[in-house]
Amino acid sequence: MPTVSSTTSTISSSASISTPKVRCFDPATSSPATFHHRRRSMNHSKCSSDSPGANGGAMAAIADQKIVNGEAGYVLEDVPHLTDYLPDLPTYPDPLQDNPSYSVVKQYFVNMDDTVAQKIVVQKNSPRGTHFRRAGPRQKVYFELDEVHACIVTCGGLCPGLNTVIREIVCGLHHMYGVNRVLGIEGGYRGFYARNTITLTPKVVNDIHKRGGTILGTSRGGHITSKIVDSIEDRGINQVYIIGGDGTQKGASVIFEEIRRRGLKVAVVGIPKTIDNDIPVIDKSFGFDTAVEEAQRAINAAHVESESIENGIGVVKLMGRDSGFIAMHATLASRDVDCCLIPESPFYLEGPGGLFEYIERRLKENGHMVIVIAEGAGQELLSESMRTMEQADASGNKLLQDVGLWISQKIKDHFARMQKMAINLKYIDPTYMIRAIPSNASDNVYCTLLAHSAIHGAMAGYTGFTVGPVNGRHAYIPFYRIIERQNKVVITDRMWARLLSSTNQPSFLDPKEVARKKTEETQEPKASHDRLEAATAVLIV
């Protein structure tokens, strides 16, 4: 690969970058810089809405990791750039500097050496740790304005804010960069080759943020990489904005790899979406605040029902297949919940310290109680009792049984056997009501920032990345960091302790299990650091 210009050498004035195997470039200036390139196989066997393995259409993706090492343990995990494989691309002045709307801004452009730290709580002698490239407009862009032909696709389940992101990408491209050619891909990934497209203009998308769902439609599955990239190439599309969860981002990563293999000048940008807030690295996903706020209505209804009758129990099932963030935050915000059950915290029903014993005690103390349960909680108990076979949807997600109905019936059966205490139980499932509502004010602002950060990155030639806030600052994050794991509630963390204190519920955990989890969390940062050191050592050798 030829040596080309870069400014990454300015990332840290004291950075010491080891001799690399490959010379690479960052596109903004003429000063050369060097990177470590690591090749990493990514397993896509369990992709979600866009499973690259679905329908037999995809290859396993191989991602280049662009790593810069500096003093004091500084590590920049950079994102790919079009010039990594198209080194002779011309640049153009960023039109934002002539945009009257931005005339009051003191500094138009992000400094090329700006990075965002993944960890901000440090000690005086601790290493500086992992950083990501800061999002924002650059002085030079890699697309002429008349050249840009963008497309937007939404995949997976519904989430508040999808229409807002679509609107802000269209309006941002038009108002900030003068881009007038934007296509909407209908029906998720399969829409690239099996459905129609919609021409998107600021007028078309003007009011869509006031509606729930997505005007483009969505689907699970349908990821056939070759057909998708063929469609992108045939239509002359050169900016692809992909909105979806971890499975969608896995699919986006595979699309990027195929585009790079073909040598196409196409920027692929992921915008992370999951109502469950289970995408790692970023602070939170859009739609989460709206979901927590709307969940309050269901919890309030359960509280009113339960306290209005003797021995009333209100059971509310909320979203959270593998992560209980919505249930936890809704419980903390409500203060009317007596017990919160999430996938990360195992519980049991019978015996001393079990859920039934706690319910009995709470009813004797207060005369009523409210239970919030995430949809993925207690699935191992439910599967054992119902002896169900594991099945998956088109995304590869395990099909869950309705734990809310199951636990409601279990509670009724338990008190029927006791014959000491008659209960009145009401079960509320607001899942699809929450998914389908428009985003609230907080999420609308957040979606705007995500869309604008994505646009700036694509125009600056970056590709193969996901955008999101890290410690309050928007950053460009390599796909492999987003799809390597799921974000989960840490039940040995202070936030879960606050919930236990608020509800006064027992932890339902064996003390040995708590000690084991604490040990794992203590060892994980060291293990991650050791893996990074080992990979770097291989490069140097």
Side-chain angles (χ1 to χ4, degrees), residues 112-361:
M112 288 307 300
D113 59 348
D114 281 359
T115 60
V116 179
Q118 183 176 11
K119 183 180 179 182
I120 58 173
V121 178
V122 297
Q123 291 75 44
K124 62 180 181 180
N125 295 322
S126 61
R128 293 176 62 191
T130 300
H131 289 62
F132 302 104
R133 187 171 291 279
R134 185 181 176 189
R138 266 60 180 176
Q139 289 182 320
K140 300 291 184 181
V141 297
Y142 281 76
F143 293 93
E144 288 191 275
L145 306 187
D146 294 339
E147 170 194 8
V148 177
H149 189 194
C151 75
I152 306 169
V153 65
T154 54
C155 304
L158 295 183
C159 175
L162 282 169
N163 278 333
T164 306
V165 175
I166 294 169
R167 181 189 190 278
E168 296 309 318
I169 292 175
V170 174
C171 293
L173 282 168
H174 179 82
H175 296 307
M176 292 190 296
Y177 289 100
V179 173
N180 296 313
R181 292 195 298 163
V182 184
L183 282 180
I185 306 298
E186 290 188 309
Y189 275 132
R190 62 170 49 91
F192 277 102
Y193 56 85
R195 297 290 296 274
N196 294 326
T197 60
I198 306 172
T199 299
L200 299 176
T201 65
K203 185 175 182 180
V204 169
V205 302
N206 185 50
D207 293 325
I208 64 172
H209 62 293
K210 299 175 183 177
R211 303 182 228 161
T214 164
I215 64 163
L216 299 180
T218 185
S219 67
R220 299 185 184 275
H223 190 292
I224 302 177
T225 308
S226 59
K227 287 188 176 182
I228 292 171
V229 178
D230 285 345
S231 175
I232 291 170
E233 189 172 4
D234 292 344
R235 296 175 189 273
I237 293 169
N238 49 27
Q239 290 185 9
V240 182
Y241 297 92
I242 301 174
I243 309 169
D246 58 344
T248 302
Q249 304 306 310
K250 289 175 184 177
S253 178
V254 176
I255 291 170
F256 159 68
E257 288 295 332
E258 176 63 12
I259 284 173
R260 178 165 62 176
R261 188 188 69 80
R262 298 188 189 187
L264 305 178
K265 184 185 176 184
V266 179
V268 180
V269 183
I271 299 174
K273 173 232 69 176
T274 169
I275 202 168
D276 292 346
N277 197 38
D278 59 0
I279 292 180
V281 182
I282 64 174
D283 295 345
K284 65 178 178 180
S285 52
F286 73 81
F288 176 70
D289 281 353
T290 304
V292 171
E293 184 176 301
E294 187 66 14
Q296 302 302 295
R297 301 178 188 272
I299 293 174
N300 182 61
H303 182 248
V304 170
E305 287 282 354
S306 64
E307 73 172 354
S308 298
I309 195 166
E310 184 179 7
N311 294 329
I313 300 175
V315 177
V316 179
K317 186 186 78 172
L318 298 176
M319 286 154 294
R321 294 182 59 87
D322 301 295
S323 305
F325 287 102
I326 293 178
M328 179 176 72
H329 283 259
T331 295
L332 282 167
S334 170
R335 300 291 174 174
D336 287 331
V337 178
D338 300 282
C339 184
C340 177
L341 304 172
I342 62 174
E344 296 88 339
S345 183
F347 64 93
Y348 54 98
L349 303 178
E350 310 277 357
L355 179 62
F356 292 156
E357 182 184 78
Y358 175 62
I359 293 174
E360 292 172 27
R361 185 172 77 247

Side-chain angles (χ1 to χ4, degrees), residues 42-59:
M42 294 191 298
N43 181 8
H44 291 279
S45 61
K46 293 186 178 179
C47 289
S48 183
S49 64
D50 40 338
S51 178
N55 303 321
M59 62 179 184

Side-chain angles (χ1 to χ4, degrees), residues 383-400:
S383 297
E384 181 180 334
S385 67
M386 298 183 69
R387 307 202 181 282
T388 55
M389 295 179 63
E390 289 193 6
Q391 296 177 320
D393 61 18
S395 305
N397 296 319
K398 181 182 176 182
L399 290 176
L400 302 180

Side-chain angles (χ1 to χ4, degrees), residues 341-343 345-347 373-384 403 406:
L341 304 172
I342 62 174
S345 183
F347 64 93
I373 184 165
E375 61 182 324
Q379 287 293 321
E380 67 286 349
L381 299 176
L382 190 151
S383 297
E384 181 180 334
V403 71
W406 174 80

